[in-house]
Amino acid sequence: ETGVTQTPRHLVMGMTNKKSLKCEQHLGHNAMYWYKQSAKKPLELMFVYSLEERVENNSVPSRFSPECPNSSHLFLHLHTLQPEDSALYLCASSQDWQGGPGANVLTFGAGSRLTVL
Amino acid sequence: AQSVAQPEDQVKVAEGNPLTVKCTYSVSGNPYLFWYVQYPNRGLQFLLKYITGDNLVKGSYGFEAEFNKSQTSFHLKKPSALVSDSALYFCAVRDDNYGQNFVFGPGTRLSVLP
């Protein structure tokens, strides 16, 4: 669809579960992002990885744990979540901002809709 | 710190009429400005960006936006709206002093009425 694939598309979990969201990009980008989209709120940047190194961590609770094993894959590990964590979690990728005309453009996946019961 | 405002939660226009979706921003350095569109159950799709150069930027699907530095605005426009343009529109800014933190506005829901 957009070169950025997110799985699963929908996830329902209890507060004591552990689950993971997966993101894969096929665009050769070297930066990847997790955003949270909640109803009636702006997109919230959670984490940024550039060249597999975490460069941004926006005061996200420790119950969210990112992992970037290589430049094509990004995970968000979830544990002991709260109902207010229910949201659409969007993964995005970009060419590093120093990287030419395609730089700075975020390409988003379709999102993983998370419901915490 | 950087911020983005989209003063209208919702914009309604008739098909064939021009549309404008407003965006104002605040940054400390030079702004990189973007518009994205989100259709139901989809991620955001890039429409256009302003980095440097011409203040009028043309993008996908006939959209354009004008960068106005004195008014710190980057309004999205289209001369003739289509029903298929109905979606959620997000303005975003990246401050070149702040690395890769893209800050998004709250979104404006555009409804184009047949």
Side-chain angles (χ1 to χ4, degrees):
Chain A
E1 181 185 324
T2 63
V4 179
T5 304
Q6 289 188 243
T7 54
R9 291 293 308 275
H10 300 272
L11 177 62
V12 179
M13 59 188 288
M15 289 193 287
T16 58
N17 291 159
K18 287 185 180 181
K19 296 286 185 183
S20 296
L21 305 181
K22 179 183 175 182
C23 177
E24 184 174 359
Q25 59 98 359
H26 314 278
L27 300 167
H29 289 168
N30 54 19
M32 296 188 77
Y33 308 71
W34 280 116
Y35 280 88
K36 177 182 178 183
Q37 186 177 26
S38 307
K40 310 285 186 184
K41 293 175 71 174
L43 264 70
E44 301 171 56
L45 177 66
M46 301 176 73
F47 302 104
V48 182
Y49 278 81
S50 180
L51 299 172
E52 301 153 44
E53 182 179 331
R54 193 188 310 178
V55 295
E56 294 274 353
N57 179 346
N58 274 14
S59 304
V60 179
S62 60
R63 56 187 185 269
F64 295 92
S65 174
E67 179 190 0
C68 187
N70 55 61
S71 60
S72 298
H73 293 87
L74 184 65
F75 294 89
L76 189 62
H77 303 300
L78 316 169
H79 61 98
T80 58
L81 294 191
Q82 305 298 310
E84 60 265 28
D85 297 322
S86 298
L88 182 68
Y89 288 85
L90 291 166
C91 175
S93 69
S94 73
Q95 186 63 17
D96 185 88
W97 69 276
Q98 293 170 326
N104 295 293
V105 174
L106 294 171
T107 300
F108 284 85
S112 294
R113 173 74 60 188
L114 173 66
T115 303
V116 182
L117 301 176
Chain B
Q2 49 199 338
S3 64
V4 178
Q6 293 180 243
E8 300 154 317
D9 290 340
Q10 186 167 314
V11 170
K12 292 184 180 179
V13 298
E15 188 174 29
N17 282 3
L19 69 87
T20 299
V21 182
K22 295 180 180 177
C23 171
T24 58
Y25 66 90
S26 175
V27 297
S28 59
N30 292 315
Y32 295 175
L33 294 155
F34 307 83
W35 277 100
Y36 287 82
V37 60
Q38 186 178 32
Y39 297 99
N41 301 312
R42 303 283 291 274
L44 280 69
Q45 297 177 35
F46 170 73
L47 278 179
L48 51 79
K49 68 178 179 181
Y50 171 84
I51 305 295
T52 60
D54 230 349
N55 288 348
L56 184 64
V57 178
K58 294 188 184 295
S60 307
Y61 313 119
F63 285 94
E64 59 188 30
E66 186 164 14
F67 170 61
N68 188 319
K69 187 172 183 177
S70 62
Q71 297 186 2
T72 60
S73 68
F74 190 58
H75 301 329
L76 181 70
K77 300 184 179 186
K78 187 173 182 180
S80 178
L82 300 172
V83 172
S84 57
D85 292 330
S86 299
L88 193 54
Y89 289 80
F90 293 93
C91 183
V93 67
R94 188 173 81 72
D95 185 332
D96 68 354
N97 285 340
Y98 281 91
Q100 287 161 290
N101 189 355
F102 293 82
V103 174
F104 284 79
T108 297
R109 185 162 299 283
L110 173 66
S111 298
V112 181
L113 310 174

